[in-house]
Amino acid sequence: MALSEHEQRLLDEMERGFYQSEADVLQAGSAEPRRLNYRSLVLGVIVVVAGIGVLVAGVAVQLLWLGLVGFAIMLGGVVLMLSRRSSGPLTVDDITSASAGPRAAKSSRESLSERMERRWDQRMEGER
C-alpha cells in the first residue's frame, strides 16, 4: 500500500527526528567519563575474597545459611568495587556543567523518556 505525499513527509520527519535524538543520546552518554575509585576497588576485592571464604566454609560444614551469607558478602563486595567516586577534585566538566545555569540542571533532572516526550510535543506543536 503506497503512502500519500503527506504521510511520506511525516514519516521522513519522524526518521530525521529519531536519528537526531539518537545522536543526542549517544553524545550525552559519552560525555561523562567513568573515574575509578581505587579505595573502593581494593576494599571491594577484600570483601569479595572474604565472602568467598565464608561461602567455602558454609559448603565445608554443610550449612546453607552460611553459604548464603557468604554469597551476600561477595555480592556486596562487587557492588562496592563498581561504585563510582562520590567526591574528589573538580574537573573541567564539573565546572562547565555548574556554569551552564538552570537549563543544565533542569535537563539533568529529566529522564531520557521525559526529554524525548517533550521534544516530540514541541515538534508536533510546530507542525500545526
Side-chain angles (χ1 to χ4, degrees):
M1 177 179 209
L3 296 175
S4 69
E5 190 174 318
H6 174 71
E7 290 171 334
Q8 187 64 41
R9 277 195 320 257
L10 186 60
L11 181 61
D12 290 339
E13 176 65 30
M14 288 172 61
E15 286 178 353
R16 280 193 299 272
F18 172 73
Y19 289 128
Q20 179 64 34
S21 65
E22 185 179 33
D24 291 345
V25 169
L26 291 176
Q27 288 175 353
S30 63
E32 185 177 339
R34 184 173 175 92
R35 295 181 290 181
L36 285 178
N37 186 353
Y38 292 107
R39 181 177 171 211
S40 293
L41 184 67
V42 170
L43 188 59
V45 168
I46 291 170
V47 170
V48 166
V49 170
I52 290 172
V54 173
L55 179 71
V56 169
V59 170
V61 294
Q62 296 181 351
L63 292 174
L64 177 64
W65 66 270
L66 191 59
L68 292 174
V69 168
F71 180 77
I73 292 171
M74 286 174 25
L75 186 63
V78 169
V79 168
L80 185 61
M81 276 193 307
L82 299 177
S83 65
R84 297 185 72 158
R85 173 184 260 171
S86 60
S87 64
L90 288 176
T91 63
V92 175
D93 293 334
D94 296 336
I95 295 168
T96 56
S97 66
S99 65
R103 179 184 159 112
K106 178 185 174 197
S107 65
S108 65
R109 282 184 263 156
E110 281 184 324
S111 69
L112 174 65
S113 60
E114 290 171 343
R115 284 192 311 252
M116 291 180 74
E117 185 175 346
R118 182 176 43 82
R119 287 180 185 172
W120 178 258
D121 291 340
Q122 289 172 349
R123 285 186 193 123
M124 291 297 112
E125 288 175 2
E127 287 183 13
R128 292 181 195 169

